[in-house]
Amino acid sequence: MEAASLPAALELAAGSGAGLSPEKRAVLGASLLLLQRDYRFERVWFWGCIQGGPGKAASSPVLQRAWACVVLVAGSLNCVEWSLLPPATEEMVAQAEQLKGRFQGDPSFEYEYTEINAEDAERLFEDGKEPMIKEESRLVATIEQIDRAVGIIPRGAFLKTPLGSVRENRNFEGLSLTEAKKLSSYFHFTEPVNLKNKTLLEKADLDPSTDFLDSLEHDIPQGSWTVQLEKGGTVVVLRSLLWLGLTFYHVPMTKQYGYVYFGTGEKNLDLPFML
């Protein structure tokens, strides 16, 4: 959710009980403006908060998207002092997937190789690398995992031009209430996978300018999303059961939409057995 509209957006996504205290909201309102000024960002998005273990400090990452499709992540332990985090790599994501348990709340904390599976540890030894993962790397890798799996946008919010570039749709005025209640009206904001496997007949009814991403209706396992009407039926809220803590909101017939994460950074691997 964009930092400029953070207070109102947090209220719209607060139905699950998660959120920020009034003190942290006040601090963020000032610190994010300073972050945008100091790093000369065009726009800043608040991504969410990953909680550490009992008694540990929380990591509060901010996701910033530049128009050139450059994604930078900044993290903070106190919502006041911010520092840029390294970009996530495929190797970091693969290593982070092997780790279990809560975050420690210390960016310099190192997870020993005994916490990684034997195959990955052996490969690291052969490459001459230390088989350790810092919490800082695990943090950016977890953010990348969550964004790939459950970072979503409403249909029509972005357009694909005939030249292949993707741009924000300035004419987007929101989904109708009827459409907003359908999972098919929301797309994963990442490189499509299922779309490439569709037949030409299935693609015939799709608009290439708007239907260029994977829809939520085909997510596996089925039932990994909940759709609810809140605030007297004026706000549509989607929550992920795969990454507990991810909340997406959209106010039908308006440009207001976004998502925020408040959780432990752990994937719900038991979901297939719970449905």
Side-chain angles (χ1 to χ4, degrees), residues 2-275:
E2 195 164 2
S5 58
L6 184 60
L10 286 174
E11 287 294 332
L12 294 175
S16 59
L20 297 173
S21 65
E23 292 80 6
K24 284 189 176 181
R25 291 191 187 190
V27 171
L28 275 176
S31 67
L32 291 183
L33 293 177
L34 295 176
L35 175 71
Q36 183 173 358
R37 183 201 66 183
D38 294 343
Y39 287 101
R40 298 182 180 180
F41 290 155
E42 293 185 17
R43 297 166 72 178
V44 174
W45 276 260
F46 178 72
W47 183 86
C49 180
I50 294 182
Q51 299 290 341
K56 304 294 184 179
S59 301
S60 302
V62 163
L63 179 67
Q64 187 275 337
R65 291 183 186 273
W67 290 116
C69 296
V70 176
V71 179
L72 299 176
V73 179
S76 172
L77 294 175
N78 54 17
C79 298
V80 177
E81 300 174 350
W82 299 90
S83 59
L84 290 180
L85 298 174
T89 63
E90 292 299 330
E91 183 180 13
M92 290 164 58
V93 173
Q95 291 175 347
E97 288 178 342
Q98 308 300 325
L99 299 176
K100 310 296 180 184
R102 302 280 291 272
F103 281 76
Q104 302 299 310
D106 179 6
S108 61
F109 178 82
E110 294 182 336
Y111 294 88
E112 300 292 342
Y113 70 92
T114 53
E115 300 176 19
I116 311 174
N117 66 37
E119 182 179 345
D120 286 343
E122 183 179 355
R123 179 172 54 82
L124 288 172
F125 273 127
E126 291 176 352
D127 294 340
K129 299 179 181 178
E130 289 291 334
M132 293 182 179
I133 304 176
K134 284 190 175 182
E135 176 139 308
E136 181 183 68
S137 299
R138 183 191 179 190
L139 177 62
V140 295
T142 300
I143 295 172
E144 180 71 13
Q145 283 182 272
I146 295 175
D147 276 342
R148 288 181 185 180
V150 291
I152 61 177
I153 58 171
R155 181 178 184 270
F158 284 79
L159 296 175
K160 187 174 185 179
T161 67
L163 297 178
S165 62
V166 177
R167 298 180 180 180
E168 189 174 10
N169 183 7
R170 298 184 181 275
N171 296 320
F172 177 70
E173 296 295 339
L175 302 171
S176 66
L177 181 58
T178 302
E179 292 298 317
K181 292 187 291 184
K182 300 177 181 178
L183 281 179
S184 58
S185 298
Y186 301 95
F187 296 148
H188 288 281
F189 198 35
T190 187
E191 189 70 23
V193 176
N194 297 329
L195 186 65
K196 297 178 180 180
N197 298 326
K198 288 182 177 291
T199 64
L200 292 177
L201 186 60
E202 291 174 321
K203 293 181 180 179
D205 295 330
L206 301 180
D207 186 340
S209 64
T210 56
D211 302 317
F212 57 93
L213 298 171
D214 286 335
S215 169
L216 266 62
E217 64 177 336
H218 302 301
D219 280 11
I220 298 174
Q222 291 188 354
S224 59
W225 291 94
T226 66
V227 182
Q228 297 173 311
L229 291 177
E230 297 185 359
K231 306 290 183 182
T234 60
V235 181
V236 178
V237 175
L238 280 70
R239 294 186 175 88
S240 173
L241 301 180
L242 186 62
W243 288 94
L244 297 172
L246 190 287
T247 302
F248 172 90
Y249 72 90
H250 175 47
V251 181
M253 305 304 294
T254 74
K255 297 181 178 181
Q256 299 182 63
Y257 70 88
Y259 66 87
V260 65
Y261 180 82
F262 290 102
T264 62
E266 297 174 284
K267 189 175 183 180
N268 183 15
L269 299 177
D270 296 328
L271 179 60
F273 308 100
M274 298 168 62
L275 297 174

